[in-house]
Every structure is written in C-alpha cells, then in structure tokens.
Amino acid sequence: MSKMTDKLDVMAYLERINYKGPCEPNIDCLRQLHVAHLTSVPFENLSIHCGEGIVLDLLLVYDKVVRRHRGGFCYELNRLFAWLLEQLGFHVILISASVFHLYTRRYGPPEDHMLLLVTLSSGLHVLADVGFGSGFRLPLFLEDGRRDAQVNGTFRLRLDSAMWLMEQLNFTGMEPNTPGCVPKNGDVWVPRFKFNLTEKCWGDFSAMSIYQQVSPASLCCCKSLCSKHLPNGAITYMGWRVISTIYEDGKARKTTRQILEEEIPAFLKDTFGFTLPNKLIPRDEPIQENCSNQHPLQH
C-alpha cells in the first residue's frame, strides 16, 4: 500500500456509508455497497457555489466525503468508490460517458461523466455508478437489452454500433418525439448517457472537471444542488427549491417547495448531515445550449 492510500481507512469508509454486510468481491456485496453509498452520500456540487475548489486528489476527496460527511460529483464519488471496491478485491476500471442532458435535450461532451466497469470473478461485467444523482440504484449487468426494474425506475443497457446506451423507461417529463428516445408499444426509453468500454485514468477527466465548475453549459455551474436517494424516494435541494420524490407503483411523485436563502444552511445540516466551509451562493440559472456538446479544450 502506498504512503498516500495508507491514510485512507476502509472501515471508516464503510461506516460512513452505513454498511455492515459481508465484504466479498461478488455481485451481492457490490449491490449492497452500491445502495448503501447512494442512500448515505449525496450527489452534490456545492463546493462550486461556496468558493471551495474541487481538486481530483484521492486524499482530498476521502477527507471531504468520509471525514467531513460531504458528497461530491461523479469524478469524486465514483473514483473514491472505485478505490473502496479495489480494496475489497474487485477488479474495476474507469470509463467515460456523455450525458443526455434533460435541460438541453442533447448529449454533452466526452468525459462528461465518469462510470465504473466492474469485472466479477465469473467474468461478467457490471456497470456501477454512485455519482449520477438520479441514475440506477443497483448496478447493471453489461448485457444488451436486459431490462432491470428497480425501486426508482426500469433501466436497460443497449448496444448501438460501438456505443452502449443507458436508458430509462418512461422517464418523467420526456415525450416520445424527444431526440434520442425510442418509443415502442406505448413505452418510451429515454437516453440517460452513452459510453464505450475504453479504460480511462483519473487524469483524463481533469479538463472536464474544470469545465463542469466554470462552463455556462454545465448543470453543475448553473445550478447549486444536493441530492440523495432515500429507501423509497429521493430528496433534492436546488437553488431556492426543495424537491421531494416518492416512488410508488413504478411511478415517481414529486413535490416542490421554496426555501429561503437563510434557511438553506440548516436544511443541509439537518437533511444531508454537513455544514459548508463558506457561505453558499445559491444558483438556479438556465443552461446555455450553444456549447454543451463541445469539449472544454475547444473553448
């Protein structure tokens, strides 16, 4: 173990995600860890909106998530989760995805999102993702067309030429004529992101990490948000809104209420369990579309 990683504690991480199950590198353990992580660690970008820079450094991410009980975005959470899985004996590689953005109805640039491809001892490949916010709750087997009904929706992976598409059935707010959607017999499969299986290193995401923090075409830059899965729903803070979601009978029922700026720090503490180091500047602005599909190095 390196001098860097010997400062990271597996047991403290497991305690942070309230995981008390077995730690064997198999699919049952992976599924339990995945759910534990999503229901304990929020997807959040509040560092961007409180003057706290995001640096892709494993010690810093560990300190933020495990010791300070914060969350993070995909480049932070999935990389840290990959480290945990590796320590428990799983074979994991990082891969990149382009997200189908619900606001712009277009795919984002390469390295827009970071995913984990886990190979089990049986040789089966499984997609894991604890850094997408509203994505699948349980890992998905890398199998073309396989439907996976979960608490928060039905998902599938579909192979299209050299690209894999992660799609969600009848996702809220999307119509059959939305570009990229696949309507069939009354159902609408909505694209969430697309990816290939090329292995990436963490440094490959550095430019996109900066882009997400500063670009007016980035959701993370335009909207201050924090979201966490609940056993039968989700709770999301965005700008000056709190969105509560309950999953019932395969449908999502959402309610929204306004929150005053002075109420936000207490809400974050009570709901997500953390206090920000600096004053939060709430933000909920439209996302610019004209550069959403360009790579940040082209700007």
Short mmCIF file of all heavy atoms in Angstrom, two decimals, residues 78-79 81-83 85-86 90-96 114-120 125-129 142 195-202 205:
data_model
loop_
_atom_site.label_atom_id
_atom_site.label_comp_id
_atom_site.label_asym_id
_atom_site.label_seq_id
_atom_site.Cartn_x
_atom_site.Cartn_y
_atom_site.Cartn_z
N ASN A 78 -17.30 8.47 -7.81
CA ASN A 78 -17.01 7.20 -8.46
C ASN A 78 -15.55 6.80 -8.32
O ASN A 78 -15.23 5.61 -8.20
CB ASN A 78 -17.43 7.24 -9.93
CG ASN A 78 -18.92 6.95 -10.11
OD1 ASN A 78 -19.51 6.23 -9.33
ND2 ASN A 78 -19.52 7.53 -11.14
N ARG A 79 -14.64 7.78 -8.31
CA ARG A 79 -13.23 7.43 -8.10
C ARG A 79 -13.01 6.90 -6.68
O ARG A 79 -12.28 5.92 -6.48
CB ARG A 79 -12.33 8.64 -8.35
CG ARG A 79 -10.84 8.36 -8.08
CD ARG A 79 -10.32 7.26 -9.00
NE ARG A 79 -8.95 6.88 -8.71
CZ ARG A 79 -8.60 5.88 -7.90
NH1 ARG A 79 -9.54 5.14 -7.30
NH2 ARG A 79 -7.33 5.57 -7.70
N PHE A 81 -15.28 5.48 -4.76
CA PHE A 81 -15.94 4.17 -4.68
C PHE A 81 -15.09 3.10 -5.38
O PHE A 81 -15.02 1.96 -4.91
CB PHE A 81 -17.32 4.26 -5.32
CG PHE A 81 -18.20 3.07 -5.08
CD1 PHE A 81 -18.44 2.60 -3.80
CD2 PHE A 81 -18.82 2.41 -6.14
CE1 PHE A 81 -19.27 1.50 -3.57
CE2 PHE A 81 -19.64 1.32 -5.93
CZ PHE A 81 -19.87 0.86 -4.64
N ALA A 82 -14.44 3.46 -6.47
CA ALA A 82 -13.55 2.52 -7.16
C ALA A 82 -12.43 2.08 -6.22
O ALA A 82 -12.06 0.90 -6.18
CB ALA A 82 -12.98 3.15 -8.42
N TRP A 83 -11.88 3.03 -5.47
CA TRP A 83 -10.81 2.69 -4.50
C TRP A 83 -11.33 1.70 -3.47
O TRP A 83 -10.66 0.71 -3.17
CB TRP A 83 -10.31 3.96 -3.80
CG TRP A 83 -9.32 3.64 -2.71
CD1 TRP A 83 -7.98 3.42 -2.84
CD2 TRP A 83 -9.63 3.46 -1.32
NE1 TRP A 83 -7.43 3.10 -1.62
CE2 TRP A 83 -8.41 3.12 -0.68
CE3 TRP A 83 -10.79 3.54 -0.56
CZ2 TRP A 83 -8.34 2.87 0.70
CZ3 TRP A 83 -10.72 3.29 0.81
CH2 TRP A 83 -9.51 2.96 1.43
N LEU A 85 -13.82 -0.44 -3.76
CA LEU A 85 -14.02 -1.74 -4.38
C LEU A 85 -12.70 -2.47 -4.61
O LEU A 85 -12.59 -3.68 -4.39
CB LEU A 85 -14.76 -1.58 -5.71
CG LEU A 85 -16.20 -1.04 -5.63
CD1 LEU A 85 -16.79 -0.92 -7.03
CD2 LEU A 85 -17.08 -1.91 -4.75
N GLU A 86 -11.69 -1.73 -5.02
CA GLU A 86 -10.37 -2.33 -5.23
C GLU A 86 -9.82 -2.92 -3.93
O GLU A 86 -9.23 -4.01 -3.93
CB GLU A 86 -9.41 -1.28 -5.79
CG GLU A 86 -9.71 -0.88 -7.22
CD GLU A 86 -8.99 0.39 -7.63
OE1 GLU A 86 -8.36 1.02 -6.75
OE2 GLU A 86 -9.06 0.75 -8.82
N PHE A 90 -12.33 -6.30 -5.75
CA PHE A 90 -12.99 -6.20 -7.04
C PHE A 90 -12.01 -5.70 -8.10
O PHE A 90 -11.08 -4.94 -7.79
CB PHE A 90 -14.17 -5.21 -6.98
CG PHE A 90 -15.36 -5.70 -6.20
CD1 PHE A 90 -15.49 -5.41 -4.85
CD2 PHE A 90 -16.35 -6.44 -6.83
CE1 PHE A 90 -16.60 -5.85 -4.13
CE2 PHE A 90 -17.46 -6.88 -6.12
CZ PHE A 90 -17.58 -6.58 -4.77
N HIS A 91 -12.25 -6.10 -9.35
CA HIS A 91 -11.50 -5.56 -10.48
C HIS A 91 -12.32 -4.44 -11.10
O HIS A 91 -13.44 -4.66 -11.57
CB HIS A 91 -11.20 -6.63 -11.52
CG HIS A 91 -10.42 -6.12 -12.70
ND1 HIS A 91 -11.03 -5.60 -13.83
CD2 HIS A 91 -9.09 -6.02 -12.90
CE1 HIS A 91 -10.10 -5.21 -14.69
NE2 HIS A 91 -8.92 -5.46 -14.16
N VAL A 92 -11.78 -3.22 -11.09
CA VAL A 92 -12.52 -2.03 -11.51
C VAL A 92 -11.71 -1.20 -12.49
O VAL A 92 -10.49 -1.03 -12.28
CB VAL A 92 -12.88 -1.14 -10.29
CG1 VAL A 92 -13.82 -0.02 -10.71
CG2 VAL A 92 -13.47 -1.96 -9.17
N ILE A 93 -12.35 -0.69 -13.53
CA ILE A 93 -11.71 0.32 -14.38
C ILE A 93 -12.64 1.52 -14.50
O ILE A 93 -13.86 1.41 -14.34
CB ILE A 93 -11.35 -0.22 -15.78
CG1 ILE A 93 -12.60 -0.56 -16.58
CG2 ILE A 93 -10.41 -1.41 -15.69
CD1 ILE A 93 -12.32 -0.86 -18.06
N LEU A 94 -12.05 2.67 -14.77
CA LEU A 94 -12.80 3.89 -15.01
C LEU A 94 -13.13 3.99 -16.49
O LEU A 94 -12.27 3.73 -17.34
CB LEU A 94 -12.00 5.12 -14.59
CG LEU A 94 -11.34 5.13 -13.21
CD1 LEU A 94 -10.60 6.44 -13.00
CD2 LEU A 94 -12.36 4.90 -12.11
N ILE A 95 -14.36 4.38 -16.81
CA ILE A 95 -14.73 4.64 -18.19
C ILE A 95 -15.50 5.96 -18.24
O ILE A 95 -15.97 6.45 -17.22
CB ILE A 95 -15.57 3.50 -18.81
CG1 ILE A 95 -16.84 3.25 -17.99
CG2 ILE A 95 -14.75 2.23 -18.91
CD1 ILE A 95 -17.74 2.17 -18.60
N SER A 96 -15.61 6.54 -19.43
CA SER A 96 -16.26 7.85 -19.55
C SER A 96 -17.57 7.74 -20.31
O SER A 96 -17.79 6.81 -21.10
CB SER A 96 -15.33 8.84 -20.26
OG SER A 96 -15.19 8.52 -21.62
N MET A 114 -18.21 10.13 -15.40
CA MET A 114 -17.31 9.02 -15.14
C MET A 114 -18.07 7.86 -14.54
O MET A 114 -18.88 8.05 -13.61
CB MET A 114 -16.18 9.43 -14.20
CG MET A 114 -15.08 8.39 -14.06
SD MET A 114 -13.69 9.01 -13.07
CE MET A 114 -14.29 8.65 -11.43
N LEU A 115 -17.83 6.66 -15.07
CA LEU A 115 -18.50 5.43 -14.64
C LEU A 115 -17.46 4.41 -14.20
O LEU A 115 -16.26 4.56 -14.46
CB LEU A 115 -19.30 4.82 -15.79
CG LEU A 115 -20.40 5.63 -16.44
CD1 LEU A 115 -20.75 5.01 -17.78
CD2 LEU A 115 -21.61 5.67 -15.54
N LEU A 116 -17.96 3.33 -13.59
CA LEU A 116 -17.10 2.22 -13.20
C LEU A 116 -17.54 0.95 -13.88
O LEU A 116 -18.75 0.62 -13.88
CB LEU A 116 -17.14 2.01 -11.67
CG LEU A 116 -16.82 3.22 -10.81
CD1 LEU A 116 -16.92 2.85 -9.33
CD2 LEU A 116 -15.46 3.80 -11.14
N LEU A 117 -16.62 0.25 -14.48
CA LEU A 117 -16.89 -1.07 -15.05
C LEU A 117 -16.22 -2.10 -14.14
O LEU A 117 -14.99 -2.11 -13.99
CB LEU A 117 -16.35 -1.18 -16.47
CG LEU A 117 -16.68 -2.50 -17.18
CD1 LEU A 117 -18.19 -2.63 -17.40
CD2 LEU A 117 -15.95 -2.60 -18.52
N VAL A 118 -17.04 -2.94 -13.52
CA VAL A 118 -16.55 -3.94 -12.57
C VAL A 118 -16.62 -5.31 -13.24
O VAL A 118 -17.66 -5.68 -13.81
CB VAL A 118 -17.41 -3.94 -11.29
CG1 VAL A 118 -16.87 -4.95 -10.28
CG2 VAL A 118 -17.46 -2.54 -10.67
N THR A 119 -15.51 -6.03 -13.19
CA THR A 119 -15.48 -7.40 -13.73
C THR A 119 -15.48 -8.38 -12.57
O THR A 119 -14.59 -8.34 -11.71
CB THR A 119 -14.23 -7.62 -14.60
OG1 THR A 119 -14.23 -6.66 -15.66
CG2 THR A 119 -14.24 -9.02 -15.19
N LEU A 120 -16.49 -9.23 -12.52
CA LEU A 120 -16.61 -10.21 -11.44
C LEU A 120 -15.72 -11.42 -11.72
O LEU A 120 -15.25 -11.63 -12.84
CB LEU A 120 -18.07 -10.64 -11.31
CG LEU A 120 -19.07 -9.51 -11.04
CD1 LEU A 120 -20.49 -10.04 -11.09
CD2 LEU A 120 -18.79 -8.84 -9.70
N HIS A 125 -19.40 -8.62 -16.63
CA HIS A 125 -19.13 -7.20 -16.46
C HIS A 125 -20.37 -6.50 -15.91
O HIS A 125 -21.50 -6.75 -16.36
CB HIS A 125 -18.72 -6.57 -17.78
CG HIS A 125 -17.51 -7.19 -18.40
ND1 HIS A 125 -16.26 -7.14 -17.82
CD2 HIS A 125 -17.35 -7.89 -19.55
CE1 HIS A 125 -15.38 -7.77 -18.58
NE2 HIS A 125 -16.03 -8.25 -19.64
N VAL A 126 -20.15 -5.58 -14.97
CA VAL A 126 -21.24 -4.87 -14.32
C VAL A 126 -20.92 -3.39 -14.31
O VAL A 126 -19.78 -2.99 -14.04
CB VAL A 126 -21.44 -5.37 -12.87
CG1 VAL A 126 -22.65 -4.70 -12.24
CG2 VAL A 126 -21.59 -6.88 -12.83
N LEU A 127 -21.92 -2.56 -14.61
CA LEU A 127 -21.75 -1.11 -14.60
C LEU A 127 -22.18 -0.58 -13.23
O LEU A 127 -23.30 -0.82 -12.78
CB LEU A 127 -22.60 -0.48 -15.70
CG LEU A 127 -22.28 0.98 -16.06
CD1 LEU A 127 -20.93 1.06 -16.76
CD2 LEU A 127 -23.38 1.56 -16.93
N ALA A 128 -21.29 0.16 -12.58
CA ALA A 128 -21.58 0.78 -11.29
C ALA A 128 -21.48 2.29 -11.44
O ALA A 128 -20.66 2.80 -12.21
CB ALA A 128 -20.62 0.28 -10.22
N ASP A 129 -22.31 3.00 -10.67
CA ASP A 129 -22.33 4.46 -10.78
C ASP A 129 -22.98 5.05 -9.53
O ASP A 129 -24.20 4.99 -9.37
CB ASP A 129 -23.11 4.87 -12.03
CG ASP A 129 -23.06 6.37 -12.31
OD1 ASP A 129 -22.39 7.09 -11.55
OD2 ASP A 129 -23.68 6.80 -13.29
N LEU A 142 -23.74 -5.72 -17.87
CA LEU A 142 -23.45 -5.24 -19.22
C LEU A 142 -23.98 -6.26 -20.21
O LEU A 142 -23.25 -7.11 -20.74
CB LEU A 142 -21.94 -5.04 -19.39
CG LEU A 142 -21.51 -4.25 -20.63
CD1 LEU A 142 -21.92 -2.79 -20.49
CD2 LEU A 142 -20.01 -4.37 -20.84
N PHE A 195 -21.76 5.50 -23.67
CA PHE A 195 -20.37 5.27 -23.28
C PHE A 195 -19.79 4.13 -24.10
O PHE A 195 -20.51 3.34 -24.72
CB PHE A 195 -20.28 4.93 -21.78
CG PHE A 195 -21.02 3.68 -21.38
CD1 PHE A 195 -20.36 2.46 -21.27
CD2 PHE A 195 -22.39 3.71 -21.12
CE1 PHE A 195 -21.05 1.30 -20.90
CE2 PHE A 195 -23.09 2.56 -20.76
CZ PHE A 195 -22.42 1.36 -20.65
N ASN A 196 -18.46 4.05 -24.11
CA ASN A 196 -17.80 2.86 -24.63
C ASN A 196 -16.95 2.28 -23.50
O ASN A 196 -16.95 2.81 -22.38
CB ASN A 196 -16.97 3.15 -25.89
CG ASN A 196 -15.86 4.16 -25.65
OD1 ASN A 196 -15.23 4.19 -24.59
ND2 ASN A 196 -15.59 4.98 -26.65
N LEU A 197 -16.25 1.21 -23.78
CA LEU A 197 -15.56 0.48 -22.71
C LEU A 197 -14.07 0.77 -22.65
O LEU A 197 -13.30 0.02 -22.03
CB LEU A 197 -15.80 -1.02 -22.89
CG LEU A 197 -17.27 -1.45 -22.94
CD1 LEU A 197 -17.38 -2.96 -23.07
CD2 LEU A 197 -18.05 -0.95 -21.74
N THR A 198 -13.64 1.87 -23.26
CA THR A 198 -12.23 2.24 -23.23
C THR A 198 -11.83 2.64 -21.81
O THR A 198 -12.46 3.51 -21.19
CB THR A 198 -11.95 3.42 -24.17
OG1 THR A 198 -12.36 3.05 -25.50
CG2 THR A 198 -10.48 3.79 -24.16
N GLU A 199 -10.78 2.03 -21.31
CA GLU A 199 -10.33 2.34 -19.95
C GLU A 199 -9.72 3.74 -19.90
O GLU A 199 -8.96 4.14 -20.79
CB GLU A 199 -9.30 1.32 -19.47
CG GLU A 199 -8.83 1.57 -18.04
CD GLU A 199 -7.92 0.48 -17.50
OE1 GLU A 199 -7.62 -0.47 -18.27
OE2 GLU A 199 -7.53 0.56 -16.33
N LYS A 200 -10.05 4.47 -18.86
CA LYS A 200 -9.53 5.82 -18.65
C LYS A 200 -8.75 5.87 -17.34
O LYS A 200 -8.95 5.05 -16.44
CB LYS A 200 -10.68 6.83 -18.57
CG LYS A 200 -11.52 6.94 -19.83
CD LYS A 200 -10.78 7.71 -20.90
CE LYS A 200 -11.66 7.94 -22.13
NZ LYS A 200 -10.98 8.77 -23.15
N CYS A 201 -7.87 6.84 -17.24
CA CYS A 201 -7.25 7.14 -15.96
C CYS A 201 -7.92 8.39 -15.39
O CYS A 201 -8.57 9.14 -16.12
CB CYS A 201 -5.74 7.32 -16.08
SG CYS A 201 -5.22 8.77 -17.04
N TRP A 202 -7.77 8.61 -14.10
CA TRP A 202 -8.47 9.71 -13.46
C TRP A 202 -8.08 11.06 -14.06
O TRP A 202 -8.90 11.95 -14.23
CB TRP A 202 -8.17 9.69 -11.96
CG TRP A 202 -9.19 10.36 -11.09
CD1 TRP A 202 -10.47 10.68 -11.44
CD2 TRP A 202 -9.02 10.77 -9.74
NE1 TRP A 202 -11.12 11.26 -10.37
CE2 TRP A 202 -10.25 11.32 -9.32
CE3 TRP A 202 -7.96 10.72 -8.84
CZ2 TRP A 202 -10.43 11.84 -8.04
CZ3 TRP A 202 -8.14 11.21 -7.56
CH2 TRP A 202 -9.37 11.78 -7.17
N PHE A 205 -10.00 13.02 -16.82
CA PHE A 205 -11.21 13.79 -16.51
C PHE A 205 -10.90 15.17 -15.94
O PHE A 205 -11.83 15.91 -15.60
CB PHE A 205 -12.08 13.01 -15.53
CG PHE A 205 -12.56 11.69 -16.04
CD1 PHE A 205 -11.84 10.53 -15.80
CD2 PHE A 205 -13.73 11.59 -16.78
CE1 PHE A 205 -12.27 9.30 -16.28
CE2 PHE A 205 -14.17 10.37 -17.26
CZ PHE A 205 -13.43 9.22 -17.02
#
